[in-house]
Amino acid sequence: MSLVTLLPFIVLIGAMFLMTRSAKKKQQAAVQMRNEMQPGTGVRTIGGMYATVKEVHDDTVLLEVAPAVHAVYAKNSIGAVLTDAEYNRIVHGDEEEDIEVDGAVVPDDASSLTGDDDAAKIDLGKKDGPDDADTAADVKTDAEPTTVDADAAKAEPKDAKADGESGAK
């Protein structure tokens, strides 16, 4: 076999080695972070819950999820160990006094992007009654045939399913 034939296999084995090496480094960093937890530090679980560490055991951690509410979690369920400042900012809403904002502040909603506060509001809710066009067509007398009703019937999409029927076969 020539070197050209073996080259793709060598590259593939090298790529697999590099990927497993980086995954092992990330896993070791996570284990080290979990082992360095101490009582009193703030943590975020992999489910997104913020809590304070009360006790650290070999495989479990006792967390205070609310005042006087404790829960036992596996160490593997800790997603991040937070600094005190970051934990207080997220959980208690404390903001540091030293933060200076340069430029424009981004609002929480998109209302400031329109620029026109008096713009007409669009109602996207479902209407309870019939449409105005339908009531105008219904008001006409029965003795007088109209093409509006035929056109309106053609324009309305009809649902092939009856009430209570599902589309499953």
Side-chain angles (χ1 to χ4, degrees):
M1 287 183 136
S2 68
L3 184 62
V4 176
T5 309
L6 293 176
L7 188 62
F9 294 112
I10 294 170
V11 170
L12 182 64
I13 291 171
M16 288 174 44
F17 174 73
L18 291 175
M19 285 190 293
T20 57
R21 187 173 159 221
S22 65
K24 283 183 182 179
K25 281 186 178 181
K26 288 179 184 178
Q27 187 178 16
Q28 287 174 349
V31 168
Q32 181 181 3
M33 176 224 19
R34 291 178 184 126
N35 287 335
E36 292 178 354
M37 280 188 300
Q38 297 177 357
T41 58
V43 295
R44 182 185 68 232
T45 65
I46 58 174
M49 183 180 65
Y50 293 91
T52 305
V53 176
K54 288 299 175 183
E55 295 177 10
V56 179
H57 301 285
D58 291 336
D59 293 333
T60 60
V61 179
L62 181 67
L63 299 178
E64 184 176 31
V65 295
V69 178
H70 297 89
V72 177
Y73 280 81
K75 267 190 179 180
N76 292 341
S77 67
I78 304 300
V81 177
L82 307 172
T83 62
D84 290 337
E86 185 179 9
Y87 180 77
N88 288 332
R89 180 183 60 81
I90 293 170
V91 174
H92 302 296
D94 297 343
E95 294 193 23
E96 296 179 18
E97 302 293 327
D98 300 340
I99 298 176
E100 294 182 15
V101 178
D102 294 333
V105 176
V106 179
D108 290 341
D109 60 356
S111 63
S112 66
L113 299 176
T114 59
D116 187 17
D117 294 334
D118 297 332
K121 304 288 182 189
I122 298 173
D123 183 22
L124 299 176
K126 184 176 179 182
K127 294 182 181 179
D128 292 333
D131 291 338
D132 293 336
D134 292 340
T135 56
D138 292 341
V139 171
K140 294 192 177 203
T141 61
D142 292 331
E144 184 180 327
T146 62
T147 58
V148 174
D149 292 336
D151 292 339
K154 289 179 185 176
E156 289 182 17
K158 295 203 176 200
D159 191 9
K161 297 183 286 186
D163 288 341
E165 292 182 359
S166 67
K169 293 184 179 181

